[in-house]
PDB file of all heavy atoms in Angstrom:
ATOM      1  N   ALA A 289       3.764  10.715   7.771  1.00  0.00           N
ATOM      2  CA  ALA A 289       3.059   9.813   8.690  1.00  0.00           C
ATOM      3  C   ALA A 289       1.550  10.006   8.594  1.00  0.00           C
ATOM      4  O   ALA A 289       0.782   9.040   8.634  1.00  0.00           O
ATOM      5  CB  ALA A 289       3.535  10.043  10.122  1.00  0.00           C
ATOM      6  N   ALA A 290       1.116  11.271   8.467  1.00  0.00           N
ATOM      7  CA  ALA A 290      -0.312  11.577   8.454  1.00  0.00           C
ATOM      8  C   ALA A 290      -1.032  10.973   7.256  1.00  0.00           C
ATOM      9  O   ALA A 290      -2.222  10.662   7.334  1.00  0.00           O
ATOM     10  CB  ALA A 290      -0.516  13.098   8.473  1.00  0.00           C
ATOM     11  N   ARG A 291      -0.312  10.785   6.125  1.00  0.00           N
ATOM     12  CA  ARG A 291      -0.976  10.275   4.930  1.00  0.00           C
ATOM     13  C   ARG A 291      -0.482   8.886   4.517  1.00  0.00           C
ATOM     14  O   ARG A 291      -0.859   8.394   3.445  1.00  0.00           O
ATOM     15  CB  ARG A 291      -0.809  11.241   3.772  1.00  0.00           C
ATOM     16  CG  ARG A 291       0.629  11.463   3.261  1.00  0.00           C
ATOM     17  CD  ARG A 291       0.604  12.474   2.127  1.00  0.00           C
ATOM     18  NE  ARG A 291       1.843  12.677   1.421  1.00  0.00           N
ATOM     19  CZ  ARG A 291       2.654  13.729   1.561  1.00  0.00           C
ATOM     20  NH1 ARG A 291       2.348  14.668   2.451  1.00  0.00           N
ATOM     21  NH2 ARG A 291       3.732  13.850   0.824  1.00  0.00           N
ATOM     22  N   LEU A 292       0.326   8.249   5.337  1.00  0.00           N
ATOM     23  CA  LEU A 292       0.962   7.000   4.930  1.00  0.00           C
ATOM     24  C   LEU A 292      -0.030   5.889   4.634  1.00  0.00           C
ATOM     25  O   LEU A 292       0.224   5.035   3.766  1.00  0.00           O
ATOM     26  CB  LEU A 292       1.954   6.548   6.005  1.00  0.00           C
ATOM     27  CG  LEU A 292       2.750   5.276   5.714  1.00  0.00           C
ATOM     28  CD1 LEU A 292       3.506   5.387   4.392  1.00  0.00           C
ATOM     29  CD2 LEU A 292       3.709   4.982   6.854  1.00  0.00           C
ATOM     30  N   THR A 293      -1.177   5.875   5.315  1.00  0.00           N
ATOM     31  CA  THR A 293      -2.148   4.817   5.018  1.00  0.00           C
ATOM     32  C   THR A 293      -2.670   4.921   3.583  1.00  0.00           C
ATOM     33  O   THR A 293      -3.111   3.914   3.019  1.00  0.00           O
ATOM     34  CB  THR A 293      -3.331   4.849   6.004  1.00  0.00           C
ATOM     35  OG1 THR A 293      -3.887   6.161   6.039  1.00  0.00           O
ATOM     36  CG2 THR A 293      -2.878   4.436   7.409  1.00  0.00           C
ATOM     37  N   ASP A 294      -2.623   6.103   2.977  1.00  0.00           N
ATOM     38  CA  ASP A 294      -3.108   6.244   1.595  1.00  0.00           C
ATOM     39  C   ASP A 294      -2.236   5.454   0.614  1.00  0.00           C
ATOM     40  O   ASP A 294      -2.763   4.621  -0.140  1.00  0.00           O
ATOM     41  CB  ASP A 294      -3.175   7.711   1.193  1.00  0.00           C
ATOM     42  CG  ASP A 294      -4.272   8.479   1.910  1.00  0.00           C
ATOM     43  OD1 ASP A 294      -5.124   7.842   2.567  1.00  0.00           O
ATOM     44  OD2 ASP A 294      -4.291   9.717   1.811  1.00  0.00           O
ATOM     45  N   PRO A 295      -0.921   5.691   0.556  1.00  0.00           N
ATOM     46  CA  PRO A 295      -0.129   4.870  -0.375  1.00  0.00           C
ATOM     47  C   PRO A 295      -0.109   3.398  -0.008  1.00  0.00           C
ATOM     48  O   PRO A 295      -0.122   2.531  -0.900  1.00  0.00           O
ATOM     49  CB  PRO A 295       1.276   5.487  -0.291  1.00  0.00           C
ATOM     50  CG  PRO A 295       1.304   6.258   0.977  1.00  0.00           C
ATOM     51  CD  PRO A 295      -0.097   6.748   1.175  1.00  0.00           C
ATOM     52  N   LEU A 296      -0.092   3.085   1.287  1.00  0.00           N
ATOM     53  CA  LEU A 296      -0.089   1.673   1.675  1.00  0.00           C
ATOM     54  C   LEU A 296      -1.378   0.980   1.239  1.00  0.00           C
ATOM     55  O   LEU A 296      -1.345  -0.146   0.725  1.00  0.00           O
ATOM     56  CB  LEU A 296       0.098   1.540   3.176  1.00  0.00           C
ATOM     57  CG  LEU A 296       1.489   1.882   3.727  1.00  0.00           C
ATOM     58  CD1 LEU A 296       1.468   1.881   5.258  1.00  0.00           C
ATOM     59  CD2 LEU A 296       2.547   0.909   3.215  1.00  0.00           C
ATOM     60  N   ALA A 297      -2.507   1.653   1.415  1.00  0.00           N
ATOM     61  CA  ALA A 297      -3.779   1.058   1.005  1.00  0.00           C
ATOM     62  C   ALA A 297      -3.841   0.901  -0.504  1.00  0.00           C
ATOM     63  O   ALA A 297      -4.351  -0.104  -1.019  1.00  0.00           O
ATOM     64  CB  ALA A 297      -4.943   1.916   1.498  1.00  0.00           C
ATOM     65  N   TRP A 298      -3.301   1.874  -1.244  1.00  0.00           N
ATOM     66  CA  TRP A 298      -3.322   1.780  -2.705  1.00  0.00           C
ATOM     67  C   TRP A 298      -2.412   0.661  -3.198  1.00  0.00           C
ATOM     68  O   TRP A 298      -2.764  -0.083  -4.117  1.00  0.00           O
ATOM     69  CB  TRP A 298      -2.901   3.116  -3.319  1.00  0.00           C
ATOM     70  CG  TRP A 298      -3.151   3.187  -4.797  1.00  0.00           C
ATOM     71  CD1 TRP A 298      -4.333   3.468  -5.422  1.00  0.00           C
ATOM     72  CD2 TRP A 298      -2.195   2.964  -5.845  1.00  0.00           C
ATOM     73  NE1 TRP A 298      -4.173   3.440  -6.789  1.00  0.00           N
ATOM     74  CE2 TRP A 298      -2.875   3.132  -7.084  1.00  0.00           C
ATOM     75  CE3 TRP A 298      -0.844   2.639  -5.861  1.00  0.00           C
ATOM     76  CZ2 TRP A 298      -2.238   2.982  -8.313  1.00  0.00           C
ATOM     77  CZ3 TRP A 298      -0.204   2.497  -7.090  1.00  0.00           C
ATOM     78  CH2 TRP A 298      -0.891   2.663  -8.300  1.00  0.00           C
ATOM     79  N   LEU A 299      -1.261   0.512  -2.575  1.00  0.00           N
ATOM     80  CA  LEU A 299      -0.301  -0.499  -3.002  1.00  0.00           C
ATOM     81  C   LEU A 299      -0.708  -1.912  -2.579  1.00  0.00           C
ATOM     82  O   LEU A 299      -0.519  -2.870  -3.323  1.00  0.00           O
ATOM     83  CB  LEU A 299       1.082  -0.183  -2.454  1.00  0.00           C
ATOM     84  CG  LEU A 299       1.773   1.055  -3.056  1.00  0.00           C
ATOM     85  CD1 LEU A 299       3.029   1.395  -2.265  1.00  0.00           C
ATOM     86  CD2 LEU A 299       2.105   0.823  -4.518  1.00  0.00           C
ATOM     87  N   TYR A 300      -1.259  -2.036  -1.367  1.00  0.00           N
ATOM     88  CA  TYR A 300      -1.548  -3.366  -0.826  1.00  0.00           C
ATOM     89  C   TYR A 300      -3.025  -3.716  -0.819  1.00  0.00           C
ATOM     90  O   TYR A 300      -3.379  -4.857  -0.531  1.00  0.00           O
ATOM     91  CB  TYR A 300      -0.980  -3.490   0.579  1.00  0.00           C
ATOM     92  CG  TYR A 300       0.533  -3.551   0.602  1.00  0.00           C
ATOM     93  CD1 TYR A 300       1.287  -2.411   0.884  1.00  0.00           C
ATOM     94  CD2 TYR A 300       1.197  -4.721   0.303  1.00  0.00           C
ATOM     95  CE1 TYR A 300       2.674  -2.457   0.880  1.00  0.00           C
ATOM     96  CE2 TYR A 300       2.583  -4.783   0.288  1.00  0.00           C
ATOM     97  CZ  TYR A 300       3.314  -3.643   0.579  1.00  0.00           C
ATOM     98  OH  TYR A 300       4.683  -3.695   0.568  1.00  0.00           O
TER      99      TYR A 300
END
Side-chain angles (χ1 to χ4, degrees):
R291 64 181 187 256
L292 182 56
T293 53
D294 290 349
L296 289 172
W298 191 81
L299 291 170
Y300 289 99

